Amino acid sequence: TSQAAEIRIGAKVFTEQVILSELTAQYLKPHGYQSRIVGNLGSTIAWNAMKSGQLDITWEYTGTSLVAYNKVTERLDKEAAYQRVKELDAKSGAIWLAPSRFNNTYALALPEKVAEENPDIHTISDLAEALKKPGKGNRLLALDIEFANRSDGLDGLVKEYGLTFTRNEIRQMDPGLVYTALRNGQVFVGLVYTTDGRLDSFGLRLLEDDRKYFPDYTAAPVVNADYLKQHPELEALLKPLAERLDDATMRRLNARVDVDRETPAAVAADFLRQEKLIG
Ligand code: PBE
């Protein structure tokens, strides 16, 4: 009888990442893996820790690697983006496994009340126009700290659309607090993640990225190359899990945690049993 293999799973600071790490840990357990989840990481920290072998696996998003890590400025569709990051990252010891079916992209969203008062704002270009009109009251933009500092983030977005926010109209906060600010109507607009579970129940209006600034952000497990050499079965093993996760499914799982207040561990266990991925 062989000893259980240890697998160290990295997770970033938002709910979806906690659920994905729980899904991975609980799914791999009956296959002989003992998991350790390391949470609350920033994107770059998680990514570098996985590449250097301090972590074995993380769930990453294609656009994040493409634009934020590899600084590719060319616009690629979903498949081309996946192929490109798979190729580029393999050179630095990170192996992309079979992708999920969900795309967790960024979006700008209006609080329900702001949406009602501004029936003409449906795209980010509409927002840019509205911001140019004098005498607007609340013009605050809520966003997370990471977005303010990423190359697929705030500076590029402002430039692409000619958004005229002043420095002190931009409020940086923890990602979860952006949704609180939006629900309470404390800001004019907020930066959200499109698979977040709170979008529907908070009645937010998502603005269309009509200039296609944001890349595709399909999620996939990414494994340290040396670890994968020791555990080549992971590739086939994780495929059925990744394949079951589409936009609607991920949003529902996220909502069970952020709206219904179930724990990520319970949500993951329930999903794996329902899908017959564990016994
Ligand atoms: N995203 C949206 C970000 C945060 C959520 C997937 C583009 C990321 O973690 O890379």
Side-chain angles (χ1 to χ4, degrees), residues 139-143 148-149 154-155 158 163-172:
R139 299 169 38 109
L140 299 181
L141 165 64
L143 46 75
N149 297 293
L154 181 64
D155 291 350
V158 160
L163 296 170
T164 52
F165 290 108
T166 62
R167 269 180 86 86
N168 57 22
E169 286 166 349
I170 294 169
R171 297 292 152 91
Q172 298 185 25

Side-chain angles (χ1 to χ4, degrees), residues 12 17 43-44 46-48 50-51 58-74 76 80-96 104 106 146 150-152 215-222:
K12 311 190 199 190
Q17 286 272 318
S43 287
T44 313
W47 185 248
N48 289 338
M50 181 273 297
K51 288 201 296 184
T58 58
W59 284 76
E60 194 46 277
Y61 306 87
T62 52
T64 300
S65 171
L66 190 72
V67 185
Y69 305 154
N70 287 297
K71 315 285 183 211
V72 173
T73 50
E74 194 186 333
L76 300 174
Y82 178 81
Q83 289 309 326
R84 181 71 64 85
V85 295
K86 191 173 170 66
E87 213 176 282
L88 288 171
D89 294 332
K91 294 178 192 153
S92 55
I95 311 298
W96 286 77
N104 181 7
Y106 288 115
E146 192 171 292
R150 289 170 55 134
S151 46
D152 53 349
D216 184 80
Y217 291 96
T218 292
V222 188

